[in-house]
Amino acid sequence: MIEKFEEEFAPLMEHCTGCILVGDMNMHHRKWLRFTNRHSQEGESLHKFANDHNLMQRVSHPTRGAHLLDLVLSDQENIHISHVPMVADHQGILLEMTVGV
C-alpha cells in the first residue's frame, strides 16, 4: 500500500517546493504516533516513508477517542495545527500556515 503511494508521490514532488499530506490514515506506530494501541507493518512503512521524505507528523493529540488516526505530514516548518469541533466520530483538525511568494 505505502509502496504504491510512494510510487505516485515521487514524480509529483519534482515540481513542488513543499508537501502537506492530510488524512484519516488509520496507521499505528507506538513510538512515532504515541496515541495508538498497537504497532502495525503499515505504520512502520508510513514512518519510513515520512523519514525518507523529511516529513514531520504535526498532530500532537488523539483524534478519535484515545487514538491518533488523523495525520498531517509535512516538510513545511510554518504550520500551526489546532483541534476544532468533532466531525462525525473524529476530532476536527485545522491547519494554518503562512505562504510567501
Side-chain angles (χ1 to χ4, degrees):
M1 179 171 107
I2 300 297
E3 294 79 18
K4 179 67 175 163
F5 177 73
E6 188 163 18
E7 193 177 294
E8 294 174 6
F9 176 83
L12 297 173
M13 286 306 297
E14 294 175 17
H15 308 287
C16 298
T17 59
C19 174
I20 302 171
L21 302 171
V22 179
D24 176 3
M25 298 189 193
N26 289 320
M27 296 292 174
H28 303 277
H29 191 288
R30 282 193 179 115
K31 288 184 180 179
W32 181 45
L33 299 177
R34 288 181 43 213
F35 299 100
T36 187
N37 61 348
R38 63 189 178 96
H39 195 89
S40 69
Q41 182 57 47
E42 294 86 359
E44 190 66 43
S45 295
L46 184 62
H47 184 233
K48 181 181 180 325
F49 170 84
N51 283 339
D52 290 349
H53 295 281
N54 298 314
L55 303 174
M56 296 289 296
Q57 200 294 112
R58 306 294 180 160
V59 181
S60 60
H61 295 79
T63 57
R64 184 166 189 253
H67 306 289
L68 174 57
L69 301 178
D70 304 275
L71 307 181
V72 175
L73 304 174
S74 181
D75 57 0
Q76 302 298 295
E77 295 292 325
N78 58 340
I79 291 178
H80 177 73
I81 302 293
S82 302
H83 290 264
V84 296
M86 297 284 285
V87 177
D89 59 346
H90 288 253
Q91 180 72 50
I93 297 172
L94 174 66
L95 184 149
E96 297 176 281
M97 68 181 290
T98 304
V99 178
V101 178

